[in-house]
Amino acid sequence: MKLIRGIACFAMVALLTPTALFFGVPVVVEAQQNPESKLPLYLGTAWYPEQWPESRWDEDLTLMEKAHVHFVRITEFAWSTMEPSEGHYDLDWVGRAVRLAEKHHIAVVLGTPSAAPPAWLTSKYPETLRTMEDGRKDQHGNRQQFDWSNAKYRELAGKMAEQMAIRFGHDPNVIGWQIDNEYAQESYGAETKRQFQEWLKARYGTLDNLNTRWTTSYWSQTYSAWSQIPIETRYGNPGLLLSWRRFVSDTWRSYQKVQLDKIREHSEPRQFITTNMMGFFDAYDHYVVSQDLDLAAWDDYVGTGHLDPVYNGAAHDLTRGFLRKNFWVMETQPGFVNWSKDNNALDKGEVRAMAWHDVGHGADAVSYWQWRSALNGQEEYHGTLVGADGTPVPLYDEVAQLGREFEKAGPALSGTEPHSEVSLLHSYDSRWAINWQRHNQAFDPKDALISYYGPLRALVHSVDIVSPSVPLSRYKLVVAPALNLLTDAQANNLMEYVRGGGHLVLGQRSAMKNDDNGLQPERQPGLLANMLGGRVEQFYALDHDVPIAGDWGSGSGKIWAEQLSVKDPQARVLMRYGKSNGWLDGQPAAITKAVGKGSITYIGAWLDEKTMEAAAKWMVATSGIHPPGVELPKGVDLYVRSGNMKGGGQKTIWILINFGKDVATVSLPSPMTNVLESGRVGSVKLDPYGVTVLSNE
Ligand code: GLA
């Protein structure tokens, strides 16, 4: 029976699959059938066997095995090697790589290669090349030069995925699939425009309806034929801009689905299907594109500088929110990248701390891009785990330590995930709507989200980031920073949450726009104004900070200020503006109203850090949340994962990481098991970048 290292403890059932080829010779291999036969934590790396002589592969895999690498992701750019000419597929070398990896107890994730079409393809079918926004055709020589809406390209990419799935869909050493790589580039040619117009027709039904909902009488934009409607990405009618982004999202989804359907048809359900996304990247709606996937995954790069645990943590939680379960970090930097402004390396110990930070936020896999640099190509300077000479670089030992630790901590972390009583609402519609009309350049909706996320996470140690369309009753507190565009269904979802006893906090610019990115005919927060018992009288882009004072102490607001009013005697003013532009002087800056056992609050100011911390404490207390009582020294973060114990009861895992510059000591509320070392401990000492994993078991 094939054993993947570290999982021998799980019961596995052997299944005979007589399909595999070993060095070209058919052999009977034994597959694992037990759903638990996957590892609780994977360490991985991106490996490109097609770039190296086959005689080198064994040495690479030996070094990986020594570093406790549990999976390799391969083939995601190998189209020209897997289909050297149209219809002539060569997957034998992939088969040999998969078998050799298996010999080293290393599982495989296969990437479909559609992010890098071969030259024969784009020269034979030039219509598959994308049209750039300026009307020029992209060309071969880089990657992502394809048109995601092109039927021929989809057909050819689908065939490639199908061939791979037929060959490896039952391979016991293939654990999953990644479709394409970092969806990003759109195409703007005539055929795409025609599809966009069809999409609009399907959405709006009639031109009258579209004209009304986009208010096209403004600037004589009225359309009398679908074919008149252009593509606009920046300065067009807000309804047109939003529709294009939604079309882009649906087109990525259908592009992905062509390959996904082929893989599903020919593979075993135990093989997951994912794609690698890019954190806060917002050129498409990730909730739309994720919904057909089994697993959400993202590529986590710091670029210049060092890990910002708050910003990076929010990107993890965002990704976890796509499918509302644990996710994978499919790529991360082994020390440094090559594409940023200044490609400094992470400090010694920081790579390990970053990986545990990933796990703390719900990552079940961390994979380094890449194993070894190609000897030529655009990324010669990127960080790797072995050098151009094929021997380990200094970081290799740190990653090997991580691999050992993942194996040791795996059983404790198995079946656990972050569970949060607090969620932040995030929507692409709202981010786009604000970014097209920031009104104050400094108003970045991502920053608005982070300004709430940081202090809330510091208090409760786990925050979900989810779409406003999901059921919310599991949360005690729901915070919606900058939820600018709110559909009626979403507004009803929020009101139902509050009526059910939930505590809702709305941030600046909330509920100003409707489903077509048009203005709500009511003042903010639109449909929620009645429940709030107050509203926004006026918004102001600020050219200077404004003083604020009230229940959360005295401080200041920046960037944006909303002058609120109270209409219902049951609503209460929490904060007021001090002397500023005259309009705001003495006016409400934050108001709240109890609704049954729940409440609704509106915060119209962009609070300074100290005031936001006080506001966050108030939100947590008002919502009846009781976070674990632990005193954390500055720079130390706590991440909590929990799950059911095998024999009943709740298993709780604490991951403590010291991002500070000094040695720190944390006293635990009660003794816990030190998972990476051993024994029960009542307090923990952490060096800078130090990590401790604790369990209540
Ligand atoms: C992205 C890509 C990889 C590689 C890395 C380099 O994440 O997916 O192929 O180019 O960047 O950081």
Side-chain angles (χ1 to χ4, degrees):
M1 176 180 293
K2 183 181 80 67
L3 290 183
I4 294 180
R5 188 186 44 244
I7 51 163
C9 52
F10 293 123
M12 288 184 287
V13 181
L15 169 74
L16 296 183
T17 53
T19 48
L21 294 172
F22 193 64
F23 291 96
V25 182
V27 288
V28 172
V29 289
E30 295 174 299
Q32 302 153 7
Q33 214 185 15
N34 191 317
E36 279 183 316
S37 63
K38 66 182 187 66
L39 294 179
L41 280 184
Y42 281 96
L43 179 75
T45 188
W47 182 45
Y48 300 95
E50 71 276 19
Q51 295 167 8
W52 303 98
E54 215 166 310
S55 54
R56 164 71 204 190
W57 294 359
D58 196 60
E59 206 173 326
D60 276 323
L61 290 161
T62 304
L63 280 169
M64 286 182 210
E65 190 178 4
K66 275 197 191 140
H68 301 257
V69 165
H70 312 112
F71 83 94
V72 282
R73 186 196 60 185
I74 64 173
T75 62
E76 88 277 11
F77 297 116
W79 198 336
S80 65
T81 322
M82 290 193 289
E83 191 184 1
S85 61
E86 186 169 1
H88 295 105
Y89 297 99
D90 178 5
L91 298 178
D92 290 351
W93 66 269
V94 183
R96 294 195 294 277
V98 170
R99 291 280 76 74
L100 201 57
E102 183 179 55
K103 203 180 112 201
H104 289 277
H105 313 296
I106 293 173
V108 173
V109 173
L110 288 174
T112 68
S114 47
W120 64 256
L121 190 155
T122 47
S123 29
K124 186 165 178 192
Y125 303 105
E127 71 273 25
T128 62
L129 283 170
R130 76 186 193 98
T131 306
M132 297 185 283
E133 222 172 334
D134 61 6
R136 284 182 305 133
K137 278 277 181 197
D138 207 342
Q139 58 179 4
H140 196 79
N142 207 328
R143 59 179 170 181
Q144 297 185 322
Q145 68 271 41
F146 63 92
D147 175 349
W148 90 134
S149 69
N150 180 266
K152 189 73 199 174
Y153 193 69
R154 288 172 173 220
E155 178 198 319
L156 293 164
K159 279 186 180 161
M160 183 73 251
E162 183 173 38
Q163 289 298 316
M164 292 176 77
I166 290 171
R167 178 72 182 258
F168 300 107
H170 299 272
D171 192 297
N173 201 40
V174 173
I175 54 172
W177 297 83
Q178 174 188 298
I179 295 178
D180 205 275
N181 189 77
E182 296 190 343
Y183 307 141
Q185 301 293 350
E186 295 138 26
S187 187
Y188 306 88
E191 168 55 16
T192 307
K193 187 154 105 180
R194 196 197 56 75
Q195 290 181 23
F196 176 47
Q197 290 158 350
E198 283 298 317
W199 183 95
L200 290 168
K201 208 172 180 173
R203 180 175 174 88
Y204 288 100
T206 65
L207 279 169
D208 276 355
N209 184 32
L210 179 144
N211 282 320
T212 308
R213 287 167 63 177
W214 291 7
T215 320
T216 53
S217 53
Y218 172 84
W219 283 0
S220 219
Q221 289 171 10
T222 314
Y223 299 105
S224 54
W226 295 99
S227 59
Q228 295 162 351
I229 305 176
I231 295 174
E232 278 286 352
T233 60
R234 282 183 202 90
Y235 305 113
N237 172 293
L240 173 63
L241 292 174
L242 179 61
S243 295
W244 170 252
R245 276 289 139 230
R246 286 176 172 166
F247 165 81
V248 166
S249 309
D250 284 353
T251 306
W252 277 122
R253 184 181 175 199
S254 60
Y255 167 83
Q256 170 179 272
K257 196 145 189 324
V258 173
Q259 298 186 41
L260 190 139
D261 286 348
K262 299 283 184 208
I263 298 170
R264 283 232 203 284
E265 188 185 339
H266 298 288
S267 64
E268 292 171 15
R270 71 174 167 82
Q271 294 182 339
F272 65 77
I273 306 179
T274 188
T275 192
N276 50 339
M277 295 175 161
M278 289 184 278
F280 278 106
F281 178 74
D282 71 347
Y284 63 87
D285 186 322
H286 292 49
Y287 299 111
V288 169
V289 174
S290 299
Q291 61 191 293
D292 299 319
L293 300 170
D294 302 314
L295 177 74
W298 79 291
D299 296 346
D300 181 5
Y301 291 99
V302 171
T304 301
H306 293 269
L307 181 76
D308 173 346
V310 174
Y311 178 81
N312 196 260
H316 284 310
D317 293 345
L318 174 77
T319 307
R320 199 177 71 246
F322 295 154
L323 292 172
R324 285 178 289 147
K325 59 179 189 179
N326 284 2
F327 60 96
W328 277 32
V329 171
M330 194 55 98
E331 294 181 16
T332 192
Q333 68 191 57
F336 52 92
V337 298
N338 70 310
W339 43 259
S340 200
K341 216 163 102 287
D342 300 310
N343 299 295
N344 64 285
L346 299 180
D347 292 341
K348 195 165 187 199
E350 192 175 359
V351 165
R352 171 176 172 257
M354 185 171 166
W356 278 109
H357 178 256
D358 302 351
V359 174
H361 281 276
D364 285 340
V366 177
S367 184
Y368 290 92
W369 195 95
Q370 60 174 325
W371 172 248
R372 180 180 180 181
S373 174
L375 291 180
N376 210 324
Q378 279 88 324
E379 296 173 299
E380 294 171 351
Y381 276 89
H382 201 285
T384 55
L385 296 179
V386 295
D389 66 343
T391 66
V393 298
L395 180 68
Y396 174 95
D397 287 342
E398 189 170 317
V399 171
Q401 178 188 350
L402 195 57
R404 280 195 303 277
E405 290 176 348
F406 275 15
E407 284 165 17
K408 191 152 191 208
L413 277 147
S414 175
T416 65
E417 53 185 355
H419 286 106
S420 186
E421 296 178 303
V422 178
S423 79
L424 290 185
L425 301 185
H426 163 273
S427 102
Y428 291 92
D429 288 350
S430 291
R431 274 172 67 192
W432 296 329
I434 290 178
N435 281 331
W436 286 315
Q437 297 170 309
R438 280 199 176 181
H439 205 63
N440 181 342
Q441 271 322 297
F443 197 111
D444 182 337
K446 211 165 41 175
D447 293 346
L449 184 120
I450 304 285
S451 75
Y452 283 85
Y453 173 88
L456 281 168
R457 217 212 78 81
L459 289 172
V460 300
H461 312 300
S462 167
V463 170
D464 283 355
I465 299 180
V466 296
S467 143
S469 300
V470 306
L472 297 168
S473 57
R474 73 167 83 158
Y475 299 111
K476 289 189 173 158
L477 171 65
V478 169
V479 182
L483 195 58
N484 192 234
L485 191 157
L486 197 64
T487 66
D488 289 2
Q490 289 168 342
N492 286 326
N493 191 33
L494 297 189
M495 288 192 284
E496 193 187 310
Y497 167 71
V498 174
R499 279 191 212 104
H503 297 271
L504 173 67
V505 176
L506 298 167
Q508 298 186 312
R509 301 178 81 154
S510 285
M512 181 179 186
K513 301 288 199 85
N514 67 17
D515 198 15
D516 294 294
N517 203 9
L519 293 173
Q520 291 278 13
E522 304 95 14
R523 296 278 185 79
Q524 291 164 253
L527 285 182
L528 300 167
N530 236 351
M531 182 177 255
L532 176 67
R535 67 178 199 178
V536 175
E537 292 300 325
Q538 185 57 283
F539 54 83
Y540 302 94
L542 296 180
D543 55 359
H544 55 80
D545 290 1
V546 298
I548 42 171
D551 286 31
W552 305 330
S554 303
S556 64
K558 61 177 183 180
I559 300 174
W560 192 268
E562 287 166 339
Q563 175 187 344
L564 308 182
S565 67
V566 167
K567 305 281 172 208
D568 183 331
Q570 288 182 329
R572 187 165 80 77
V573 176
L574 290 165
M575 297 291 285
R576 285 185 187 275
Y577 296 103
K579 197 162 169 36
S580 76
N581 66 356
W583 305 110
L584 288 165
D585 300 5
Q587 297 297 318
I591 61 178
T592 189
K593 199 183 106 187
V595 180
K597 285 189 175 144
S599 68
I600 176 167
T601 301
Y602 193 104
I603 303 178
W606 189 310
L607 304 173
D608 67 277
E609 266 177 45
K610 207 175 110 267
T611 313
M612 183 58 102
E613 275 170 29
K617 277 191 188 138
W618 177 89
M619 290 178 219
V620 168
T622 305
S623 322
I625 296 170
H626 304 287
V630 59
E631 206 46 51
L632 294 176
K634 201 168 162 352
V636 175
D637 273 349
L638 166 64
Y639 308 89
V640 183
R641 287 177 54 151
S642 56
N644 295 327
M645 283 186 199
K646 279 247 158 62
Q650 177 91 353
K651 157 156 93 174
T652 302
I653 303 293
W654 279 21
I655 297 173
L656 286 161
I657 306 179
N658 183 6
F659 290 109
K661 295 262 173 274
D662 305 314
V663 176
T665 304
V666 180
S667 303
L668 306 176
S670 53
M672 296 179 86
T673 302
N674 189 333
V675 174
L676 298 181
E677 290 163 22
S678 56
R680 302 285 282 180
V681 287
S683 78
V684 173
K685 199 165 138 246
L686 293 149
D687 290 331
Y689 293 129
V691 175
T692 300
V693 182
L694 302 160
S695 162
N696 69 335
E697 270 188 296

